[in-house]
Amino acid sequence: MGRTRRPRISKLRRAPGAARAERRPARAAVDETQSAQPGASFPIVGLGASAGGLEALEQFLSRVPADSGMAFVVVQHLDPTRKGLMPELLQRATRMKVTQVKERTAVRPDCVYVIPPGSDMSLLHGVLHLFEPKESRGLRLPIDFFFRSLALDQQQHSIGVILSGMGSDGTLGLRSIKEMAGLVLVQEPTSAKFDSMPRSAIDAGLADFVAPADELAGKIVNFLQRTPLPAAKEEPLEEKMRSGLEKAVVLLRDHTGHDFSLYKKNTLYRRIERRMGIHQIDTMGSYVRYLQENPQELDLLFKELLIGVTSFFRDPAAWQILRDELVPALLAARPAGPLRAWVAGCSTGEEAYSLAIVLKEALGAEATARGTKIQIFATDLDQDAIDKARLGSYPENIAADVSPERLARFFSKEDSRYRVKAEIREAVIFAPHNLIMDAPFTKLDFLSCRNLLIYLAPEVQKKLFPLFHYSLDPDGILFLGSAETVGTFTELFAPISAKARIFRRCDTAGRPELIEFPSSFARADRGAAASREPQKKGVSLQSAAEELVLHRFAPPSVLVNDKGNILYVCGKTGRYLEPAAGKANWNVFAMARRGLEYDLAAAFQKALRRQGPVTARAVQVGADPAPRARASQPSRAAARDATYVDITIQKLDDPESLRGTVMIVFDEVPAPDAPGRTGRTGRTATDPKRGPSAAALEAKLQHARAELLSTREGMQMSQEELKSTNEEMQSTNEELQSTNEELTTSKEEMQSMNEELQTVNSELQVKVDELSRSNNDMKNLLNSTDIATLFLDNDLKVRRFTTQATKIIKLIPGDVGRPISDLASDLLYPELCDDVREVLRTLGSAEKPIAAEGDRWFAVRIMPYRTLDNRIDGVVINFVDISAAKALEAKMQEKQVALEGRISQQSAEMDATREKGDLAARKAAQKPGRA
């Protein structure tokens, strides 16, 4: 099964701080696009989502530990024409790093990778690669594409998760993961906004866990944290493990009737190990006890062992070789007759229907000319898979494997599913069959056994190949899986295409050992088998007697349908029926010999209308009615040579298989008495006077026959007209089908666009919510500053304003878009518009105090409005109320004037006092005596 490495679960138990410290230098130093080591030992989880998936992805990632040791790859249906917003939206829900994938992005643990719009993505050796999708619109399946590559790259360590979405994308990819024994988780449909994708995965029986999106992450962590069992290597299992495995096989055999002891032990162990991991069971002994106590787990384990991963036209190159080369050569070399094939291990029927389609295409018109019919026997051990295969209904994502031409020709669209048309379904017979225990089909031209032998033990394979050789006719074709080969049986099968694993049966003189038929596969007693000698089957006396009576004494008869077309011939009917000239026609009326056609047709119509047999007696075979009408008496030689027959016709109601058919029996009788025949007395038995009357009656009979013939010709003309009308209706129906196919294609494109629009709508809704919150934050911020703010565009029209601005300028909500010059204002600022234009011209700023009515003052600051991309888109005007400062300034000025007055007065007084002093001094100086 490929690599056997196991996830490094110990990382799940590291301390968060240590994990972060370990990751920081790696992220700083390692290039995201360099190649990863192929042996990277950490789980990679694929997350598939479509419409409504954003919410589910956020719920899932929010519950993933930041140091889980896992990597997550998100695949969504995204609009290819828009830039993806998913990484930044998901980054809010997780502490892990979220990045959009680029070409050759190496996957690293504790990271989330998002597919870019308009791309398909695959994984190879831990590195993500991007592909240009085949169709930019319409039915695209990016989730299936990635899940398949994830399964091939990670094998048993792959983990797939399906979340909310429309359609069925992801189901086929999950099948590949299940084939590799990976883990599959599906969101509970009732918790998903769109439940189509989860329900498709659940209905396919692929889900290991079904839970709401916020619980799925915990399921994965618990599964990976379980104490790991020894890796399943191609080595002998320990004795205790082997004992527990054998006990589980015994319980399965008792419960289901199927013996898995001949399967590869390591394959069984890996499947059982998965079930143990799901139930958190550590030892094989504990799981055996769990099986004993829970019979429903035996059913689930049985389904687990029978996981049949199949698809239409798997390995397309091999199917191409079959159609173009091998089937035409096989048809040319074989005699006419049905082409018989056997598909062993058909699962849900995709392989069998693929073979039927390829054979139908390869045979083409030649099949109709030669009468070659296709008869395919498709078998599997799983009854549920057989029931699904018989329905022939598949999800619309098979369009990824089936070409549009084949979809239009061999499938019909029913709602959101494709159904195989009746002509293909009727060619395939499905039946439950155990390849190991049940008898094989024989006289086969083709045998397909793909991807089944790899699960069987080598000793079983050695017994199957001689059995396949026995089942095939000479030069029959054996078709194996891409990982299978005939091994040492090169004398039984010669390769036609070794790469495509197609082989031809070889004629051989025989092998020394006997072919062991399936009944001897389990616990075969070779001694008893050698002692048994084939015995000739006894002949039944009853069968021999019945066969003798049937061939010698039973009258010739034919079985026809209600239209007279022959279904079966019993006995020698050549004296009464002969092929008509021209194109082959197996209708009994066209093949009836001369003389039978009128009586046969009349009796046939009576038999259809009434219950019980209808008999036409003594009808002359080979007689020409015209001469009989002209001659009054036939010659004795003609009477002696004529053949007479009783025709008995009866519509059958029993048995059930023959209901609706009609049995026609021809019983030859002696010639009836002629009208002129002599009796015992030697005189004529009929009065001569009746001769003319008999001739008249015969003439009337001839006239009636002519009228009947004319009526039949009219009916044939009517049938031809009806046939022409039917052809016209078929042509109209084909046109309607073509129109329906175009509408279906348009519907698929609309559905794809709807899914993309749903995703875009979710992203935009999140952005709108963020913008609304930012708007509310900005509004509250501006209001909390108590600053009036006015936003104008380049044409000086109002764009937005704060509540405080309405106290200065007469603004109402309806004024948005009006020029500022048209609005009344309390400001005494007629130069406002001029200053705004000057700011827009110079890209500077302006600030000045402006008075307003009511003794109010405002500091008006005008600045350019710059966008995030540094583009000028108007102006911002702030009005800061400085009335208090202006009032305080006026008071200060008044106090200053008063103070200056007092100082002047005091100075005057001091000057006056000083002058008085000086005057007194002068007066004193003028009195000499006193001096």
Side-chain angles (χ1 to χ4, degrees), residues 416-456:
S416 60
R417 300 179 69 84
Y418 284 104
R419 182 175 175 85
V420 182
K421 288 186 177 179
E423 62 173 321
I424 300 298
R425 294 202 312 273
E426 291 171 357
V428 186
I429 301 173
F430 291 97
H433 181 273
N434 190 329
L435 182 65
I436 299 176
M437 303 301 297
D438 296 335
F441 295 88
T442 57
K443 299 185 181 300
L444 302 173
D445 300 294
F446 189 93
L447 197 158
S448 173
C449 183
R450 310 191 69 206
N451 302 313
L452 174 61
L453 298 177
I454 57 176
Y455 299 110
L456 301 179

Side-chain angles (χ1 to χ4, degrees), residues 121 161 189 292 295 322 373 388 587 624 651 890-891:
M121 184 168 60
V161 181
Q292 292 174 307
L322 282 176
K373 294 183 179 180
K388 292 181 180 179
N587 190 277
D624 189 355
K651 184 177 180 181
K891 291 181 180 179

Side-chain angles (χ1 to χ4, degrees), residues 768-834:
V768 167
D769 294 340
E770 290 182 354
L771 182 61
S772 179
R773 286 194 296 269
S774 301
N775 192 28
N776 292 333
D777 294 342
M778 184 62 66
K779 182 178 180 180
N780 283 278
L781 174 63
L782 293 175
N783 290 336
S784 65
T785 59
D786 199 25
I787 298 176
T789 305
L790 178 64
F791 297 88
L792 303 180
D793 60 15
N794 290 326
D795 296 328
L796 277 61
K797 295 180 180 180
V798 176
R799 175 182 292 163
R800 181 177 295 181
F801 54 87
T802 61
T803 305
Q804 291 80 358
T806 60
K807 300 177 181 179
I808 304 172
I809 302 175
K810 308 304 181 183
L811 290 167
I812 60 175
D815 290 333
V816 174
R818 294 182 61 186
I820 187 63
S821 58
D822 293 351
L823 301 176
S825 172
D826 292 344
L827 296 173
L828 304 177
Y829 190 12
E831 303 86 3
L832 175 61
C833 294
D834 296 334

